Amino acid sequence: MSNFPNIEQVLQDGGDRIVLLMVNALQEKGAIFQGELARSIQSNVTSDNDSMTLTIEMLERGEFLDKGVNGTAKTVGTTPFQFRVGPPIDPLRTWARVKGFNVYALRNSIAKNGIAPRNFIQPSLEEGIRWMESKFEEAGQKDIEATISLVGKESKIEVR
């Protein structure tokens, strides 16, 4: 446990908020099929006496979906990612079956045309950080008051 439990709580609440914002953004952009990526988005706060860290993690494909992937014949944006041969077949099988597509034709189409960027990570982070910034001052004040109170109880002052 950290020496600043109120600030740590703001980080935990902020992380939960960012996860929710990311999942909602994926839903709004129609990027959830079975929800595996959405379920993989997690926040974690680690702390010691000197620092606290908020980490947001998800499946690797979240970054590809966020930034997009250029196809072999079509550019979708300024993404650092590009298909050389196409996505793996296995993750496409269920979606292709449900939608009535041939999985190999789907794979070839995605490889050729790429994946458009969904841009859900950075806006969610920015909104979550703004929310946390609005809470830090009050949380810090509570933590400082608690520390002062604790120090006051432990200290002995004698006047002679």
Side-chain angles (χ1 to χ4, degrees), residues 39-79:
R39 285 190 305 276
S40 78
I41 304 171
Q42 304 284 322
S43 69
N44 186 40
V45 175
T46 55
S47 66
D48 58 34
N49 289 335
D50 297 329
S51 66
M52 284 179 254
T53 304
L54 169 62
T55 307
I56 308 292
E57 297 176 339
M58 72 185 81
L59 290 172
E60 182 181 27
R61 67 174 173 245
E63 189 175 11
F64 299 131
L65 193 59
D66 180 63
K67 293 179 180 174
V69 181
N70 288 323
T72 56
K74 184 178 177 186
T75 300
V76 297
T78 59
T79 177

Side-chain angles (χ1 to χ4, degrees), residues 21-23 25-26 29 31 37 41 58-70 76-81 115-126:
L21 289 165
M22 286 183 176
V23 171
L26 285 170
K29 295 171 187 264
L37 174 61
I41 304 171
M58 72 185 81
L59 290 172
E60 182 181 27
R61 67 174 173 245
E63 189 175 11
F64 299 131
L65 193 59
D66 180 63
K67 293 179 180 174
V69 181
N70 288 323
V76 297
T78 59
T79 177
F81 307 117
I115 298 172
R118 297 308 200 296
N119 194 28
F120 70 98
I121 295 175
Q122 195 61 38
S124 300
L125 289 173
E126 288 170 3

Side-chain angles (χ1 to χ4, degrees), residues 4-16 45 52 131 139:
F4 301 99
N6 292 293
I7 290 177
E8 187 171 1
Q9 187 63 54
V10 169
L11 283 172
Q12 289 173 350
D13 293 346
D16 292 345
V45 175
M52 284 179 254
W131 180 86

